């Protein structure tokens, strides 16, 4: 075929197709113009409009330009290679990364003459690029699948839960969003990945989510039944994007990465179900670590029989709970279930003739009939201000989320001494240490002795899965060393350990139970406090009065087959 003047204006693959007689020159020119208008590659236009078959275009291009033609459907594409090129560039140029060799990246293309695409991708990834010819129809399918695989590989998790994402709504996500040049917070894969993490944590019964950047990797961990488990290792390059997305959801300053921030997310899962997350960021050497605490009011068991108190402990708990005034304290480390214990008591006392007010940071459990105040130091609403306000509101019962300083402690003690029931928490290891801790804060010994009715120290340990636990054979000497008595051993002790639950329960544990030290302040205990006794002397007195410490409570749970001795040691031994 002779080359006409009109044909000369065509270039690249279009000119080759005309010369080979696969398309008329006028049709080629029109197709070229239409493809430009639609902003799609010419080859894509020709194939989708059924103007020229894709296999004939590929064969012609391979023969003309000496570029190898491959069947892309026979190749397994590595998601990590796909992610070397941004999704926008892949879609824009219809070029899919196949593999790399050293500093050279090989791209699957249907039009190898599109030098602009090769150059732009070369500049973006910092590697030389080389074209490999692929039939257009197969390339389109391969690009779609490769991008999906790359997205799914973000969390290296199953995609089953994505069906629920359409019902996931961030409530009150209307704060001003600062510009962030380094983080594309609208990146769809990142949004889906974060949403998936939140849903997975809820479904697995997690209490906390940890998003942690390090020098050479990034990981996500869930705390499930009190133990951290790694669940995902997204690409390190997503460090800032993940942080930015979470900060937008929790209404933080996206542009501020140098100081810690606190926020809150309220996720509406359905018309009747929503879950709150308390969010905390902390700058580290390699990015911001983010920890999210799940605050699920519906999951909180507010029935005392579900908490795991022994019968004699429950009796002491309830007796002191119904006293008209005094302090009712719950102690233990973060995540030990203190709030649930307090709210179990509040739920019992929540009657129409009782005025209950709470000050918390944050409000973790929503309880109708209780006046709950959210502490926010940024607005000046502190614990001591809330307490002062409560005392002018005709209260019967006051709950303070935590006694953190001497001011709050003093107001709480005075309220307890003047006819109010005050319930609160402290971070101490056991009940006797709580008494000396208050003295260290500056509360007078006499005030402590006359205001406190009860101190409960607690921990949470994992329950053995009832279907997979198995007997543990331990010699008498070991049982004695662990703390069991000769009498208990003579009566017979059968301890259990976790069995292999397979995929259903890989750890052999499911759920948690509380172990407690429930110590009421007797007259002898008050005398020792006033005399300035230390925590060791107070602990000795508690033992004389038959009060179980946390260790003994844990041994009882193991003896009952609820948990293992290994778990008791993990929780109770320093």
């Amino acid at each position: 075929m002779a080359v006409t003047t009109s044909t000369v204006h065509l270039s690249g693959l279009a000119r080759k197709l005309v010369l080979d007689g696969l398309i008329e020159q006028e049709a080629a020119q029109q197709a070229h113009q239409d493809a430009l208008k639609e902003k799609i590659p010419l080859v894509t236009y020709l194939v989708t409009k059924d103007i020229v078959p894709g296999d004939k275009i590929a064969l012609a291009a391979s023969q003309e330009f000496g570029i190898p033609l491959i069947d892309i459907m026979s190749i397994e594409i590595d998601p990590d290679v796909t992610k070397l090129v941004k999704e926008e560039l892949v879609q824009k140029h219809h070029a899919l990364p196949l593999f790399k060799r050293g500093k050279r990246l090989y791209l699957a293309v249907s039009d190898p003459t599109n030098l602009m695409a090769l150059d732009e991708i070369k500049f973006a990834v910092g590697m030389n690029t080389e074209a490999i010819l692929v039939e257009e129809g197969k390339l389109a399918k391969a690009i779609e699948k490769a991008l999906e695989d790359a997205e799914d590989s973000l969390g290296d998790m199953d995609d089953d839960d994505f069906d629920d994402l359409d019902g996931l709504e961030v409530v009150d996500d209307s704060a001003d969003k600062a510009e962030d040049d380094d983080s594309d917070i609208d990146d769809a894969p990142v949004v889906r990945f974060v949403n998936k993490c939140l849903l997975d944590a809820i479904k697995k019964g997690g209490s906390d989510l940890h998003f942690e950047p390090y020098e050479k990797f990034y990981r996500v961990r869930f705390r499930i039944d009190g133990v951290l488990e790694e669940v995902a290792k997204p690409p390190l390059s997503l460090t800032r994007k993940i942080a930015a997305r979470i900060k937008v959801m929790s209404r933080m300053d996206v542009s501020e990465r140098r100081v810690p921030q606190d926020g809150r997310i309220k996720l509406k899962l359905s018309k009747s179900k929503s879950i709150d997350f308390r969010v905390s960021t902390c700058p580290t050497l390699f990015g911001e670590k983010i920890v999210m605490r799940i605050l699920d009011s519906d999951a909180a068991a507010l029935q005392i029989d579900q908490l795991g108190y022994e019968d004699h402990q429950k009796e002491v708990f309830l007796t002191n709970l119904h006293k008209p005034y005094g302090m009712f304290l719950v102690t233990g480390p973060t995540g030990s279930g203190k709030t649930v214990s307090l709210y179990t008591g509040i739920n019992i006392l929540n009657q129409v003739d009782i005025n209950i007010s709470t000050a918390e940071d944050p409000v973790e459990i929503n309880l109708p009939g209780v006046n709950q105040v959210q502490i926010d130091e940024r607005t000046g609403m502190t614990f001591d201000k809330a307490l002062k306000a409560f005392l002018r509101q005709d209260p019967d019962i006051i709950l303070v989320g935590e006694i953190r300083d001497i001011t709050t402690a003093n107001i709480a003690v005075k309220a307890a001494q003047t006819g109010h029931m005050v319930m609160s928490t402290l971070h101490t290891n056991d009940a006797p240490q709580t008494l000396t801790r208050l003295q260290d804060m500056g509360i007078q010994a006499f005030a402590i002795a006359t205001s406190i009715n009860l101190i409960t120290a607690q921990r949470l340990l994992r329950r053995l899965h009832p279907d997979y636990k198995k007997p543990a054979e331990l010699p008498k000497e070991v049982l004695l060393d662990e703390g069991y008595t000769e009498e208990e051993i003579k009566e017979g002790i059968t301890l259990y350990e976790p069995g292999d639950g397979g995929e259903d329960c890989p750890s052999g544990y499911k759920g948690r139970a509380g172990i407690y030290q429930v110590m009421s302040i007797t007259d002898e205990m008050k005398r020792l406090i006033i005399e300035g006794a230390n925590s060791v002397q107070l602990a000795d007195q508690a033992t004389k009065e038959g009060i179980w410490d946390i260790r003994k409570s844990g041994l009882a749970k193991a003896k009952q087959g609820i948990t293992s001795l290994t778990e008791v040691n993990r929780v109770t031994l320093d």
Side-chain angles (χ1 to χ4, degrees):
M1 175 183 290
V3 179
T4 66
T5 304
S6 299
T7 308
V8 174
H9 294 298
L10 294 171
S11 61
L13 185 57
R15 183 173 184 274
K16 167 64 177 173
L17 296 176
V18 172
L19 292 173
D20 283 359
L22 294 173
I23 185 173
E24 295 294 331
Q25 61 184 20
E26 291 182 1
Q29 288 173 335
Q30 186 62 46
H32 182 70
Q33 293 173 4
D34 291 344
L36 288 175
K37 289 179 182 178
E38 295 186 23
K39 296 182 179 179
I40 61 175
L42 174 62
V43 175
T44 304
Y45 182 87
L46 293 174
V47 173
T48 56
K49 301 295 183 181
D50 292 325
I51 298 173
V52 182
D55 57 342
K56 292 187 180 297
I57 295 176
L59 183 59
S62 178
Q63 292 172 347
E64 175 69 14
F65 302 107
I67 296 176
L69 174 64
I70 66 169
D71 181 3
I72 197 170
M73 294 304 177
S74 64
I75 297 176
E76 184 175 348
I77 300 172
D78 186 349
D80 290 335
V81 175
T82 302
K83 287 180 285 190
L84 292 174
V85 179
K86 287 186 177 181
E87 181 179 345
E88 307 88 79
L89 285 180
V90 173
Q91 299 282 21
K92 175 183 176 182
H93 296 303
H94 219 56
L96 178 64
L98 291 180
F99 52 87
K100 66 174 183 174
R101 296 291 183 269
K103 289 291 186 180
R104 187 173 298 274
L105 181 65
Y106 291 82
L107 302 168
V109 297
S110 56
D111 182 359
T113 64
N114 187 357
L115 300 179
M116 184 181 71
L118 298 175
D119 287 343
E120 188 171 348
I121 293 175
K122 173 183 176 180
F123 178 79
V125 300
M127 289 188 284
N128 291 324
T129 55
E130 189 165 325
I132 293 180
L133 202 59
V134 174
E135 185 180 327
E136 166 59 28
K138 293 182 178 179
L139 177 59
K141 293 179 181 178
I143 288 176
E144 181 180 359
K145 182 179 185 302
L147 293 178
E148 288 180 356
D149 291 345
E151 179 180 323
D152 291 344
S153 71
L154 281 175
D156 195 25
M157 294 188 287
D158 293 335
D159 201 35
D160 299 338
D161 293 333
F162 277 131
D163 293 338
D164 298 329
L165 294 184
D166 291 338
L168 193 63
E169 177 185 349
V170 180
V171 181
D172 293 332
D173 187 12
S174 58
D176 293 336
K177 299 174 181 64
E179 293 294 331
D180 189 341
D181 295 334
D182 297 314
S183 298
D184 184 6
I185 56 179
D186 293 323
D187 192 325
V190 172
V191 172
R192 287 166 61 83
F193 173 68
V194 172
N195 286 352
K196 182 171 174 57
C197 285
L198 302 186
L199 285 174
D200 276 3
I202 293 168
K203 291 184 176 182
K204 292 180 178 180
S207 60
D208 302 86
L209 299 83
H210 292 238
F211 296 82
E212 303 170 312
Y214 296 94
E215 182 178 12
K216 296 183 179 180
F217 66 94
Y218 189 101
R219 72 179 176 187
V220 180
R221 294 190 291 173
F222 295 167
R223 189 176 294 278
I224 301 173
D225 292 335
V227 178
L228 282 170
E229 299 178 8
E230 184 177 295
V231 296
K233 295 189 74 172
L236 188 60
S237 59
L238 295 183
T239 296
R240 286 190 173 180
K241 289 185 178 183
I242 292 173
R245 173 58 186 166
I246 295 173
K247 287 162 75 175
V248 166
M249 294 173 72
S250 50
R251 306 178 69 179
M252 297 181 190
D253 184 351
V254 180
S255 63
E256 181 56 78
R257 305 188 192 98
R258 298 165 297 178
V259 297
Q261 296 187 64
D262 293 306
R264 192 181 180 100
I265 299 172
K266 186 178 186 67
L267 287 184
K268 187 175 181 181
L269 301 179
S270 66
K271 291 182 179 179
S272 59
K273 176 69 172 178
S274 63
I275 291 180
D276 289 351
F277 294 80
R278 184 178 66 196
V279 186
S280 172
T281 71
C282 182
T284 69
L285 284 175
F286 306 106
E288 290 176 286
K289 173 174 179 176
I290 299 176
V291 176
M292 307 172 73
R293 166 65 60 86
I294 299 176
L295 310 176
D296 185 2
S297 299
D298 295 340
L302 299 182
Q303 302 298 320
I304 192 167
D305 289 334
Q306 298 180 38
L307 298 185
Y309 287 96
E310 303 297 329
D311 289 342
H312 65 278
Q313 293 175 332
K314 184 174 80 170
E315 182 180 352
V316 175
F317 182 99
L318 292 175
T319 298
N320 285 275
L321 182 67
H322 287 94
K323 289 185 176 180
Y325 57 85
M327 292 188 73
F328 188 106
L329 299 177
V330 179
T331 73
T334 301
S336 59
K338 299 186 298 296
T339 301
V340 172
S341 291
L342 278 181
Y343 263 86
T344 298
I346 288 290
N347 193 44
I348 293 171
L349 298 171
N350 188 16
Q351 305 294 329
V352 69
D353 59 338
I354 296 179
N355 179 23
I356 304 175
S357 296
T358 76
E360 303 165 78
D361 182 20
V363 176
E364 296 187 23
I365 300 172
N366 181 25
L367 195 59
V370 175
N371 306 293
Q372 297 172 283
V373 174
Q374 172 72 51
I375 297 302
D376 188 348
E377 295 188 358
R378 292 175 297 182
T379 63
M381 177 55 77
T382 59
F383 279 114
D384 60 298
K385 285 188 177 180
L387 273 175
K388 290 176 182 177
F390 289 166
L391 292 174
R392 297 191 291 270
Q393 295 270 313
D394 185 29
D396 294 304
I397 298 170
I398 296 172
L399 186 150
V400 185
E402 181 184 348
I403 294 179
R404 298 178 178 175
D405 52 52
I406 181 62
T407 304
T408 304
N410 271 324
I411 299 173
V413 168
K414 289 177 181 177
Q417 291 176 322
T418 54
H420 304 95
M421 166 66 79
V422 179
M423 307 176 74
S424 189
T425 69
L426 277 90
H427 287 274
T428 56
N429 291 326
D430 60 22
Q433 287 186 28
T434 303
L435 297 169
T436 55
R437 167 69 176 143
L438 288 170
Q439 292 185 57
D440 292 340
M441 292 176 68
I443 305 298
Q444 294 182 350
F446 178 79
I448 295 171
T450 56
S451 63
I452 297 178
N453 294 333
L454 179 88
I455 302 174
T456 295
Q458 64 182 71
R459 300 287 189 280
L460 292 176
L461 44 69
R462 293 180 292 175
R463 290 179 178 268
L464 287 167
H465 195 296
D467 295 335
Y468 302 116
K469 67 181 183 180
K470 59 184 181 180
E473 300 295 334
L474 295 174
K476 176 182 177 181
E477 294 75 17
V478 172
L479 295 176
L480 289 171
D481 289 341
E482 293 290 349
Y484 291 106
T485 63
E486 289 276 3
E487 292 74 14
E488 289 176 310
I489 296 173
K490 287 180 180 178
E491 291 174 0
I493 296 177
T494 301
L495 300 180
Y496 294 86
E497 60 186 6
D500 184 8
E503 293 183 1
D504 181 42
C505 184
S507 68
Y509 295 97
K510 187 176 180 63
R512 289 194 286 178
I515 52 176
Y516 304 91
Q517 179 183 34
V518 183
M519 186 178 81
S520 59
I521 307 302
T522 61
D523 290 341
E524 183 60 25
M525 195 77 72
K526 290 178 181 179
R527 183 185 65 79
L528 289 174
I529 294 170
I530 293 173
E531 291 177 355
N534 57 38
S535 60
V536 175
Q537 293 170 312
L538 294 170
D540 289 341
Q541 179 60 31
T543 302
K544 291 178 183 178
E545 295 179 6
I547 297 170
W548 285 13
D549 60 16
I550 291 177
R551 172 73 180 176
K552 188 167 184 178
S553 182
L555 292 175
K557 287 289 189 294
K559 183 180 176 182
Q560 295 161 15
I562 294 173
T563 191
S564 67
L565 187 57
T566 301
E567 181 68 4
V568 173
N569 289 336
R570 182 185 72 85
V571 172
T572 63
L573 295 181
D574 295 333

